[in-house]
Amino acid sequence: MLIGIDLGTTNSLAACFRNGKPELIPNRLGGYMTPSVVSVDEEGTVLIGETAREYGLVNPLRMARFFKRDMGTEKEFTLGDRKLRPEELSGLILRSLKEDAEQYLGEPCNEAIISVPAYFNDFQRKATKKAGELAGLQVLRIINEPTAAAIAYGVGSSDKDERCLVFDLGGGTFDVSILEFYKSIMEVHTIAGDNFLGGEDFTALLADRFLEKNAIAPESLDIRTRNRVLKAAEACKCSYSHTDSPVMSCIIDGEPVESRMPLSEFEKACEPLLERVRKPIERSLRDAGLKLDEIDRIVLVGGATRLPTVRRFVSKLFHIIPNLAVDPDTAVAMGAAIQCGMKLRDKEIREMVLTDVCPFTLGTEVTMDNGLFEEDGHYLPIIDRNTVIPVSRTQTVYTARDGQTRVNVKILQGESRNAKNNLLLGELSVPVLPGPKGSQAVEITYTYDINSLLECQVKVLSTGVVRTVIVQDGTGRLTEEEAKARFEELAYLKQNPRDDEENRLLLLRGERLYEEVIGGDREVINRALMDFERLLSQQDRTQIERGRKTLAKILDQIEMNL
Ligand code: AMP
């Protein structure tokens, strides 16, 4: 069975296409969202999702999250005595989603379509594919998240051509994409964003206001109290969906502290954040050569678009009421599932062709005459960002010094005019005939294909010498054998058993709460945990079920009073 996966920074989801429609796949705990969190406990058992997050609250040094941000890099995360790379951590998340899908669907799931941010570069896409392989999934396609979201909202399901702006405001990132659906072709036009803007900024703002109102200095709080304030702020923020004047409350230094946080006040405080939201929108429109009123539809993705302030801002800016028919948290997974339907040529679905853009400018380093002397280190763009791929572009450069015998071409990716600030993807060197500077011309051709493989060809015009290089995966310094060995090692990593997941999660929650409270509450938790552990050791399913409900109720009660 082919499954669609939204491998997110904070949460991941799986979905499939059956009976003519997309369908979300529940995880082992019955929810649809699996936190993209991995922990490794003292015994070396791997925990995934909610359980890993709960474990990590008490053992932060054994937990990894937000590793999607480092996909395609050499970074390693240390979890206790294990070191894992971003694609390996993602692989463990994918493996857990695959198992849940197999359990739910009752058949093997060995193929997947996985979504990635549209701005993901070649390395990041390849790392995502590798993560799939580590999970035992053959990745049939990598789909851009905004494209998936637009498909879920029905863009492309009728004959209507339209331009749509996908507004994706998650917990920590903001992405804007402009897509055009024209004659069965869905094209990503432009991408812009802010990697350091998201729902958490709105939460932090509320937390700061709450402390200010109560004349509490943020520096005076320890990390646990600060986290509690943030948690209360998050709850208050989410309540704006149904109330205009919530009361935010939190225990600080053992005392309850409360404040009313009117929406109007919050909106005023949000203005600088909304200004930051506006910037990438303007940039994407500018890059696409479009005006605000040329956008036909707005697609909202990401939990933070539930905030009424954000929705109002979008409506006002575009004079369009955003379509709210699709859940912003599940849109990408649903779109990936519809893609599965297209791939399987399901008769309920219209085929469409998806195209990608090259998310970053690709260029090379050159010497330029600044009027006084020849200055090294200038960036010469060859393929501009947001060019639709496949694409091939050529630039001619000339020798910079008298008697020069070689031309060295640096393959760079990035937007800075200063070459050294851009990412070096590869290098290529060709011999030229010595002569006065400027006498030898060299043609540099970059070709970027649909699989995001970049080929660089350098041709010396005087001699006809040609050199070509295909820019390879930057993630793996691993050889083929090393990668295979790593795969096998990961495959045998001990994982928390599925059946035990709920119990393990509840015990972890109890242990965390035990650390957070004092006095009588500690005794209550301790007793309840001991009772439950005894039941677990007796292995009577009905008793365990009953015990789980009792323990959950006790913990809920205590957590409510925190
Ligand atoms: P995502 O990364 O898409 O899962 O989005 C997570 C962000 O969405 C977090 O900052 C949440 O606080 C925020 N969020 C979720 N639900 C709501 C809601 N009802 N109102 C406001 N923000 C929300």
mmCIF file of all heavy atoms in Angstrom, residues 10-11 33 168-172 198-200 203 234 237-239 241 301-308 328-329, ligand 1:
data_model
loop_
_atom_site.group_PDB
_atom_site.id
_atom_site.type_symbol
_atom_site.label_atom_id
_atom_site.label_comp_id
_atom_site.label_asym_id
_atom_site.label_seq_id
_atom_site.Cartn_x
_atom_site.Cartn_y
_atom_site.Cartn_z
ATOM 1 N N THR A 10 7.178 19.925 13.840
ATOM 2 C CA THR A 10 6.655 19.616 15.182
ATOM 3 C C THR A 10 5.843 18.330 15.206
ATOM 4 O O THR A 10 5.947 17.556 16.145
ATOM 5 C CB THR A 10 5.776 20.782 15.725
ATOM 6 O OG1 THR A 10 5.191 21.457 14.626
ATOM 7 C CG2 THR A 10 6.554 21.740 16.541
ATOM 8 N N ASN A 11 5.038 18.099 14.190
ATOM 9 C CA ASN A 11 4.209 16.893 14.156
ATOM 10 C C ASN A 11 4.272 16.242 12.791
ATOM 11 O O ASN A 11 4.459 16.919 11.778
ATOM 12 C CB ASN A 11 2.732 17.270 14.406
ATOM 13 C CG ASN A 11 2.507 17.700 15.826
ATOM 14 O OD1 ASN A 11 2.686 16.934 16.766
ATOM 15 N ND2 ASN A 11 2.125 18.957 16.012
ATOM 16 N N MET A 33 -1.902 13.149 14.979
ATOM 17 C CA MET A 33 -0.616 13.851 14.925
ATOM 18 C C MET A 33 0.388 13.144 15.821
ATOM 19 O O MET A 33 0.151 12.995 17.018
ATOM 20 C CB MET A 33 -0.796 15.273 15.431
ATOM 21 C CG MET A 33 -1.977 15.969 14.789
ATOM 22 S SD MET A 33 -1.475 17.451 14.014
ATOM 23 C CE MET A 33 -1.712 18.608 15.287
ATOM 24 N N ASP A 168 1.403 29.387 5.273
ATOM 25 C CA ASP A 168 1.662 28.298 6.224
ATOM 26 C C ASP A 168 2.386 28.846 7.455
ATOM 27 O O ASP A 168 3.581 29.109 7.422
ATOM 28 C CB ASP A 168 2.509 27.222 5.522
ATOM 29 C CG ASP A 168 2.789 26.031 6.419
ATOM 30 O OD1 ASP A 168 2.467 26.085 7.618
ATOM 31 O OD2 ASP A 168 3.331 25.030 5.907
ATOM 32 N N LEU A 169 1.607 29.024 8.537
ATOM 33 C CA LEU A 169 2.193 29.535 9.781
ATOM 34 C C LEU A 169 2.133 28.430 10.829
ATOM 35 O O LEU A 169 1.078 28.123 11.379
ATOM 36 C CB LEU A 169 1.431 30.780 10.238
ATOM 37 C CG LEU A 169 2.040 31.591 11.381
ATOM 38 C CD1 LEU A 169 3.411 32.165 11.020
ATOM 39 C CD2 LEU A 169 1.113 32.735 11.794
ATOM 40 N N GLY A 170 3.278 27.793 11.043
ATOM 41 C CA GLY A 170 3.334 26.689 12.012
ATOM 42 C C GLY A 170 3.797 27.202 13.362
ATOM 43 O O GLY A 170 3.651 28.381 13.681
ATOM 44 N N GLY A 171 4.387 26.301 14.150
ATOM 45 C CA GLY A 171 4.842 26.681 15.482
ATOM 46 C C GLY A 171 6.037 27.618 15.418
ATOM 47 O O GLY A 171 6.104 28.611 16.142
ATOM 48 N N GLY A 172 6.981 27.322 14.519
ATOM 49 C CA GLY A 172 8.212 28.111 14.509
ATOM 50 C C GLY A 172 8.626 28.626 13.149
ATOM 51 O O GLY A 172 9.656 29.271 13.023
ATOM 52 N N GLY A 198 6.648 32.181 14.014
ATOM 53 C CA GLY A 198 5.589 31.174 14.074
ATOM 54 C C GLY A 198 4.704 31.387 15.287
ATOM 55 O O GLY A 198 4.848 32.388 16.008
ATOM 56 N N GLY A 199 3.807 30.442 15.506
ATOM 57 C CA GLY A 199 2.855 30.522 16.608
ATOM 58 C C GLY A 199 3.531 30.736 17.954
ATOM 59 O O GLY A 199 3.003 31.429 18.829
ATOM 60 N N GLU A 200 4.726 30.173 18.116
ATOM 61 C CA GLU A 200 5.407 30.301 19.421
ATOM 62 C C GLU A 200 5.720 31.768 19.731
ATOM 63 O O GLU A 200 5.780 32.149 20.895
ATOM 64 C CB GLU A 200 6.723 29.510 19.455
ATOM 65 C CG GLU A 200 6.660 28.061 18.989
ATOM 66 C CD GLU A 200 5.549 27.239 19.625
ATOM 67 O OE1 GLU A 200 5.106 27.604 20.729
ATOM 68 O OE2 GLU A 200 5.101 26.254 19.011
ATOM 69 N N THR A 203 2.761 33.169 21.328
ATOM 70 C CA THR A 203 2.664 32.671 22.699
ATOM 71 C C THR A 203 3.610 33.452 23.608
ATOM 72 O O THR A 203 3.222 33.887 24.702
ATOM 73 C CB THR A 203 3.059 31.168 22.737
ATOM 74 O OG1 THR A 203 2.284 30.485 21.769
ATOM 75 C CG2 THR A 203 2.832 30.563 24.098
ATOM 76 N N GLU A 234 -0.077 29.626 25.974
ATOM 77 C CA GLU A 234 -0.482 28.838 24.802
ATOM 78 C C GLU A 234 -1.985 28.519 24.888
ATOM 79 O O GLU A 234 -2.729 28.681 23.924
ATOM 80 C CB GLU A 234 0.361 27.555 24.787
ATOM 81 C CG GLU A 234 -0.187 26.427 23.966
ATOM 82 C CD GLU A 234 0.502 26.286 22.629
ATOM 83 O OE1 GLU A 234 1.571 26.881 22.457
ATOM 84 O OE2 GLU A 234 -0.062 25.590 21.775
ATOM 85 N N LYS A 237 -3.921 31.668 24.258
ATOM 86 C CA LYS A 237 -3.881 32.003 22.825
ATOM 87 C C LYS A 237 -4.897 31.153 22.047
ATOM 88 O O LYS A 237 -5.641 31.667 21.209
ATOM 89 C CB LYS A 237 -2.460 31.751 22.300
ATOM 90 C CG LYS A 237 -2.280 32.028 20.831
ATOM 91 C CD LYS A 237 -0.888 31.682 20.340
ATOM 92 C CE LYS A 237 -0.712 30.187 20.162
ATOM 93 N NZ LYS A 237 0.578 29.810 19.561
ATOM 94 N N CYS A 238 -4.901 29.849 22.351
ATOM 95 C CA CYS A 238 -5.808 28.963 21.611
ATOM 96 C C CYS A 238 -7.268 29.274 21.934
ATOM 97 O O CYS A 238 -8.152 29.014 21.115
ATOM 98 C CB CYS A 238 -5.495 27.498 21.915
ATOM 99 S SG CYS A 238 -3.890 27.014 21.244
ATOM 100 N N SER A 239 -7.518 29.858 23.133
ATOM 101 C CA SER A 239 -8.919 30.133 23.499
ATOM 102 C C SER A 239 -9.484 31.334 22.727
ATOM 103 O O SER A 239 -10.692 31.555 22.725
ATOM 104 C CB SER A 239 -9.059 30.336 25.008
ATOM 105 O OG SER A 239 -8.464 31.560 25.341
ATOM 106 N N SER A 241 -9.936 31.499 19.793
ATOM 107 C CA SER A 241 -10.820 30.980 18.731
ATOM 108 C C SER A 241 -12.277 31.027 19.170
ATOM 109 O O SER A 241 -13.174 31.061 18.338
ATOM 110 C CB SER A 241 -10.478 29.537 18.384
ATOM 111 O OG SER A 241 -9.112 29.380 18.190
ATOM 112 N N VAL A 301 -2.550 27.014 6.158
ATOM 113 C CA VAL A 301 -1.956 25.781 6.685
ATOM 114 C C VAL A 301 -1.215 26.124 7.971
ATOM 115 O O VAL A 301 -0.718 27.234 8.118
ATOM 116 C CB VAL A 301 -0.926 25.181 5.693
ATOM 117 C CG1 VAL A 301 -0.512 23.793 6.120
ATOM 118 C CG2 VAL A 301 -1.458 25.155 4.277
ATOM 119 N N GLY A 302 -1.136 25.130 8.881
ATOM 120 C CA GLY A 302 -0.373 25.348 10.116
ATOM 121 C C GLY A 302 -1.289 25.784 11.240
ATOM 122 O O GLY A 302 -2.239 26.557 11.035
ATOM 123 N N GLY A 303 -1.006 25.247 12.429
ATOM 124 C CA GLY A 303 -1.867 25.469 13.598
ATOM 125 C C GLY A 303 -2.098 26.946 13.900
ATOM 126 O O GLY A 303 -3.190 27.340 14.328
ATOM 127 N N ALA A 304 -1.076 27.791 13.688
ATOM 128 C CA ALA A 304 -1.195 29.180 14.110
ATOM 129 C C ALA A 304 -2.172 29.972 13.234
ATOM 130 O O ALA A 304 -2.569 31.086 13.600
ATOM 131 C CB ALA A 304 0.176 29.843 14.123
ATOM 132 N N THR A 305 -2.595 29.422 12.092
ATOM 133 C CA THR A 305 -3.585 30.140 11.274
ATOM 134 C C THR A 305 -4.981 30.013 11.893
ATOM 135 O O THR A 305 -5.929 30.581 11.378
ATOM 136 C CB THR A 305 -3.633 29.616 9.818
ATOM 137 O OG1 THR A 305 -3.980 28.231 9.839
ATOM 138 C CG2 THR A 305 -2.308 29.787 9.117
ATOM 139 N N ARG A 306 -5.081 29.281 13.007
ATOM 140 C CA ARG A 306 -6.363 29.238 13.715
ATOM 141 C C ARG A 306 -6.593 30.517 14.513
ATOM 142 O O ARG A 306 -7.702 30.790 14.941
ATOM 143 C CB ARG A 306 -6.362 28.071 14.707
ATOM 144 C CG ARG A 306 -6.412 26.735 14.079
ATOM 145 C CD ARG A 306 -7.295 25.839 14.962
ATOM 146 N NE ARG A 306 -7.628 24.637 14.254
ATOM 147 C CZ ARG A 306 -6.857 23.573 14.276
ATOM 148 N NH1 ARG A 306 -5.762 23.582 14.996
ATOM 149 N NH2 ARG A 306 -7.207 22.510 13.610
ATOM 150 N N LEU A 307 -5.547 31.250 14.723
ATOM 151 C CA LEU A 307 -5.646 32.476 15.509
ATOM 152 C C LEU A 307 -6.506 33.490 14.750
ATOM 153 O O LEU A 307 -6.181 33.856 13.626
ATOM 154 C CB LEU A 307 -4.220 33.017 15.705
ATOM 155 C CG LEU A 307 -3.934 33.893 16.898
ATOM 156 C CD1 LEU A 307 -4.273 33.201 18.214
ATOM 157 C CD2 LEU A 307 -2.469 34.290 16.892
ATOM 158 N N PRO A 308 -7.611 33.983 15.373
ATOM 159 C CA PRO A 308 -8.485 34.911 14.645
ATOM 160 C C PRO A 308 -7.736 36.151 14.156
ATOM 161 O O PRO A 308 -8.022 36.671 13.076
ATOM 162 C CB PRO A 308 -9.546 35.297 15.669
ATOM 163 C CG PRO A 308 -9.393 34.374 16.815
ATOM 164 C CD PRO A 308 -8.076 33.674 16.721
ATOM 165 N N PRO A 328 -6.330 23.026 9.073
ATOM 166 C CA PRO A 328 -4.978 23.468 8.687
ATOM 167 C C PRO A 328 -3.874 22.526 9.162
ATOM 168 O O PRO A 328 -2.770 22.550 8.645
ATOM 169 C CB PRO A 328 -4.846 24.847 9.343
ATOM 170 C CG PRO A 328 -5.871 24.911 10.398
ATOM 171 C CD PRO A 328 -6.985 24.009 9.972
ATOM 172 N N ASP A 329 -4.168 21.699 10.164
ATOM 173 C CA ASP A 329 -3.143 20.775 10.657
ATOM 174 C C ASP A 329 -2.983 19.546 9.777
ATOM 175 O O ASP A 329 -1.934 18.918 9.763
ATOM 176 C CB ASP A 329 -3.514 20.264 12.060
ATOM 177 C CG ASP A 329 -3.316 21.334 13.102
ATOM 178 O OD1 ASP A 329 -2.338 22.082 12.980
ATOM 179 O OD2 ASP A 329 -4.141 21.412 14.023
HETATM 180 P P1 AMP B 1 1.967 23.357 13.609
HETATM 181 O O1 AMP B 1 3.468 23.514 13.609
HETATM 182 O O2 AMP B 1 1.352 23.557 12.296
HETATM 183 O O3 AMP B 1 1.499 22.125 14.327
HETATM 184 O O4 AMP B 1 1.415 24.609 14.477
HETATM 185 C C1 AMP B 1 1.663 24.730 15.832
HETATM 186 C C2 AMP B 1 1.288 26.119 16.299
HETATM 187 O O5 AMP B 1 -0.130 26.335 16.128
HETATM 188 C C3 AMP B 1 1.573 26.312 17.778
HETATM 189 O O6 AMP B 1 2.221 27.563 17.976
HETATM 190 C C4 AMP B 1 0.182 26.342 18.396
HETATM 191 O O7 AMP B 1 0.129 27.158 19.558
HETATM 192 C C5 AMP B 1 -0.656 26.944 17.288
HETATM 193 N N1 AMP B 1 -2.087 26.637 17.442
HETATM 194 C C6 AMP B 1 -2.694 25.429 17.454
HETATM 195 N N2 AMP B 1 -4.031 25.554 17.649
HETATM 196 C C7 AMP B 1 -4.278 26.885 17.769
HETATM 197 C C8 AMP B 1 -5.475 27.683 17.993
HETATM 198 N N3 AMP B 1 -6.672 27.129 18.147
HETATM 199 N N4 AMP B 1 -5.339 29.034 18.058
HETATM 200 C C9 AMP B 1 -4.120 29.612 17.917
HETATM 201 N N5 AMP B 1 -2.961 28.926 17.698
HETATM 202 C C10 AMP B 1 -3.033 27.581 17.628
#
